[in-house]
Amino acid sequence: ISFNSVDSSLSSLKNCQSYINTGMDIATHVAFDLVESFNDVEDVNSMEKVMLEYAAMDRELNHYMKATEETVNQIKREKPENIPNLKNLVKEKFTALENKNSDSDLQKNEKYMYFKDQLKEMRKQYNDNEAIEQIDEDIAVTQSQMNFICPITQMEMQKPVRNKVCGHTYEEDAILKIIQTRKQQKKEVRCPKIGCSHTKVKESDLVPDEALKRAIDSQKKQ
């Protein structure tokens, strides 16, 4: 049995998945713009609904691709004499996966989790600055600048990335250089933030800190 057409279809579905990822990135940045512009909470919440819709589409695509791949592997393994009904087999496996769906699945979508996390940081950044500014403008500037300094370079960050495990931020190039060097030495990387006990910093745990980058850029404009 030739599976060329099936492989072609799976490739097309993966392209669709990349479009979903792009859509989620756009929705995330729109939400950040809304927070930055002090827009109504309802507008920001509408972006969260969009993110959940995208997450649902992503889950459905993943289930369909998984059902198809499992069906193909099953046929290759069993090598039946008669060609089975691929459509029915895929549908059966897909339905079984969809029946296990729950709202918590969507909450665990990686891009949705990033959206929620960065949105929280954005709101915290703006609320904290607003509260401090009411006391003393100089204190607000000093406090912000302290948060902008990379613990490795001791300079203001240009491309901050945050460690999902311990929550600390670093300049992207600086932390990646340390990770690469320690990898060659076959040693683990300790978080460079003073006082942090995290000893296994990995590149896969680093995510762009869009909220902090926007705060840094905003401070520069002021």
Side-chain angles (χ1 to χ4, degrees):
I1 303 173
S2 174
F3 294 103
N4 289 338
S5 59
V6 176
D7 292 337
S8 177
S9 297
L10 285 174
S11 178
S12 296
L13 288 176
K14 285 175 182 176
N15 283 335
C16 290
Q17 205 163 32
S18 70
Y19 299 145
I20 290 174
N21 288 334
T22 300
M24 294 183 89
D25 289 339
I26 292 171
T28 298
H29 284 92
V30 169
F32 292 167
D33 288 340
L34 290 170
V35 173
E36 208 167 20
S37 305
F38 300 100
N39 275 58
D40 192 272
V41 174
E42 191 174 331
D43 293 332
V44 179
N45 289 344
S46 68
M47 286 299 102
E48 183 174 350
K49 291 177 183 176
V50 169
M51 290 294 288
L52 287 171
E53 288 172 5
Y54 274 126
M57 286 189 282
D58 185 62
R59 179 179 62 186
E60 187 175 353
L61 264 181
N62 279 329
H63 284 171
Y64 191 78
M65 287 190 290
K66 184 177 181 181
T68 303
E69 287 167 353
E70 285 183 355
T71 300
V72 169
N73 290 334
Q74 179 184 334
I75 293 171
K76 286 180 178 178
R77 187 173 59 251
E78 296 175 355
K79 298 178 181 178
E81 292 183 9
N82 299 319
I83 299 175
N85 189 316
L86 289 177
K87 185 177 179 181
N88 286 344
L89 283 175
V90 170
K91 185 177 180 181
E92 184 180 321
K93 291 180 183 297
F94 173 73
T95 302
L97 289 169
E98 285 287 288
N99 285 339
K100 296 178 182 178
N101 286 348
S102 69
D103 290 341
S104 62
D105 295 339
L106 303 183
Q107 310 283 338
K108 293 174 185 174
N109 178 280
E110 191 171 331
K111 283 193 176 288
Y112 176 76
M113 288 171 66
Y114 176 77
F115 169 88
K116 290 289 287 182
D117 178 71
Q118 286 290 287
L119 204 58
K120 179 183 174 183
E121 289 299 315
M122 283 279 290
R123 283 170 169 157
K124 183 175 181 293
Q125 188 76 42
Y126 281 90
N127 289 339
D128 284 356
N129 284 349
E130 189 177 357
I132 295 171
E133 282 169 7
Q134 290 175 1
I135 303 171
D136 190 305
E137 188 173 342
D138 291 334
I139 294 176
V141 173
T142 303
Q143 182 68 39
S144 295
Q145 288 174 341
M146 285 175 62
N147 296 333
F148 300 164
I149 301 300
C150 171
I152 304 167
T153 65
Q154 292 303 310
M155 297 175 64
E156 187 173 87
M157 290 178 275
Q158 304 296 318
K159 291 179 66 178
V161 291
R162 191 161 59 82
N163 192 321
K164 291 188 291 185
V165 179
C166 64
H168 294 125
T169 54
Y170 335 97
E171 179 63 51
E172 183 178 38
D173 290 343
I175 189 64
L176 289 180
K177 187 175 180 180
I178 291 176
I179 291 173
Q180 186 61 36
T181 301
R182 301 292 280 181
K183 186 177 181 181
Q184 291 172 352
Q185 298 170 345
K186 296 183 178 179
K187 294 180 180 179
E188 293 180 341
V189 180
R190 187 185 186 91
C191 175
K193 184 74 173 179
I194 295 174
C196 183
S197 59
H198 182 48
T199 57
K200 294 181 180 180
V201 178
K202 296 182 291 184
E203 185 176 348
S204 58
D205 290 330
L206 304 176
V207 294
D209 198 328
E210 180 70 21
L212 185 57
K213 186 177 187 310
R214 284 174 178 248
I216 293 171
D217 292 343
S218 176
Q219 187 68 56
K220 285 179 180 177
K221 290 175 184 177
Q222 291 175 15

